[in-house]
Amino acid sequence: MIDWSRAAAPQDDLYDALLACHLASTTTNAHRPEPFVHRVAGNAPHIFDGAVAVRYVQATAPGAPVFSNGPLEHANIHAAVDYVRRWPVAFEQMRMLIDTFHPLARPDVAESEYREGYGSYSGSTDDRLGTLFATVFDPIGLAQAFVHEMGHNKLRALGVNLESADRLILNPPDELYVSPVIKDRLRPMTAVLHAEYSFAYITALDIVLIETEPEGERRQLLFRLLARNLARIDEGIEEIRRHIRVDPQGEAFVAGLYAWIEELIGRGRHLLEARTIPADVH
């Protein structure tokens, strides 16, 4: 029997990730006609203690021509991995659910401009389970991208694709709702859930990084990121509560999701209220 109430929030015993891996490796769908098999890094550069290969999944960069293929080796990639390492559960989930990272750059952005706070662009697709692509400009942004896209991949493995669901969610794709992230158009409930879920992972990472980061400019940057992402998940969970329709498995799943989001919002708000801002940081 599957305990779907433990499938949404990251579990210390990795129950949710183990469930996602089991379902991915034993089921198929319209986007994924073959069961998922975690691919080994082989001779490719690798990260997350050898579990994730840094390689190009296609010759033309995703997002071209705005984005180009980035360096397979870069200090920012390893710094981003070290940021995720501060959250051991997420680090292990990356090792379990992701096997390929495709790095991106931009032809109009010189490496001399790479810095923390620059931001990130990332993505993943329903038909390439276990794969993510992201820019390497900013190590904090890349760390957020790692857990963001891992959240998307986990949700897909559990049966919810971006615009359709094999289980859990009953809302049809032609019913559209307000996304907490994409504001220029309404989205199917599955896409709203994906946005909420992936940004919950980012928010959880933000909280861990703040709790483990000494006072200074980097910590203040993390506070700004946390404030922005808290607003997103706070808005998104209310839209989901009002409109989501679920099957019996989904009822337990969203109950666990609500509890996790509420915990993140509470922890995040406490950190923001208790923070101290040095006089030389504005």
Side-chain angles (χ1 to χ4, degrees):
M1 294 291 293
I2 294 174
D3 184 354
W4 283 100
S5 68
R6 300 185 66 210
Q11 304 291 310
D12 289 342
D13 63 358
L14 300 173
Y15 179 90
D16 56 311
L18 289 166
L19 172 60
C21 289
H22 170 72
L23 291 174
S25 64
T26 58
T27 63
T28 62
N29 59 35
H31 302 281
R32 186 168 48 82
E34 298 293 334
F36 174 69
V37 176
H38 195 287
R39 294 160 292 182
V40 298
N43 294 326
H46 50 81
I47 51 178
F48 288 96
D49 294 348
V52 179
V54 185
R55 54 192 166 198
Y56 305 134
V57 298
Q58 58 192 49
T60 302
V66 175
F67 295 96
S68 57
N69 288 331
L72 295 175
E73 288 279 5
H74 195 280
N76 283 356
I77 298 174
H78 299 285
V81 172
D82 286 339
Y83 280 128
V84 178
R85 196 185 295 272
R86 297 195 201 178
W87 183 12
V89 169
F91 187 90
E92 289 304 317
Q93 290 194 349
M94 280 290 303
R95 288 173 46 79
M96 297 168 67
L97 295 167
I98 303 297
D99 62 25
T100 300
F101 165 51
H102 183 138
L104 298 178
R106 278 180 55 165
D108 60 337
V109 178
E111 187 171 351
S112 59
E113 297 181 45
Y114 291 8
R115 66 184 185 278
E116 291 181 347
Y118 193 106
S120 67
Y121 166 84
S122 68
S124 56
T125 59
D126 291 344
D127 62 339
R128 284 178 168 162
L129 199 63
T131 296
L132 67 88
F133 48 89
T135 54
V136 300
F137 308 135
D138 170 3
I140 292 177
L142 180 54
Q144 291 182 320
F146 281 151
V147 299
H148 176 128
E149 301 304 336
M150 185 262 287
H152 281 303
N153 274 272
K154 177 185 161 191
L155 201 52
R156 291 181 178 109
L158 293 174
V160 182
N161 292 305
L162 197 62
E163 296 192 353
S164 65
D166 301 318
R167 62 178 67 85
L168 305 179
I169 311 304
L170 298 178
N171 302 69
D174 59 348
E175 290 184 5
L176 305 179
Y177 306 93
V178 177
S179 168
V181 179
I182 296 176
K183 296 300 186 181
D184 61 347
R185 63 190 185 276
L186 299 177
R187 306 297 307 283
M189 178 52 66
T190 48
V192 173
L193 181 62
H194 263 274
E196 180 73 8
Y197 197 66
S198 59
F199 273 86
Y201 262 95
I202 292 177
T203 304
L205 178 65
D206 291 343
I207 289 171
V208 169
L209 294 183
I210 288 171
E211 291 176 338
T212 57
E213 182 68 29
E215 194 57 73
E217 291 186 8
R218 181 179 294 117
R219 195 164 191 259
Q220 297 307 315
L221 168 62
L222 291 166
F223 274 124
R224 293 193 293 273
L225 296 174
L226 174 62
R228 182 180 66 187
N229 292 322
L230 277 178
R232 286 169 167 164
I233 65 170
D234 197 9
E235 175 189 354
I237 203 63
E238 292 308 313
E239 182 78 351
I240 292 170
R241 284 185 190 275
R242 284 193 296 267
H243 300 294
I244 198 168
R245 300 201 299 276
V246 295
D247 62 19
Q249 298 169 325
E251 184 174 357
F253 176 85
V254 297
L257 176 66
Y258 295 155
W260 183 39
I261 298 293
E262 289 169 3
E263 177 194 358
L264 291 175
I265 291 173
R267 288 175 64 193
R269 286 176 176 168
H270 175 75
L271 284 170
L272 290 173
E273 291 167 359
R275 70 172 166 168
T276 56
I277 302 178
D280 60 343
V281 176
H282 302 284

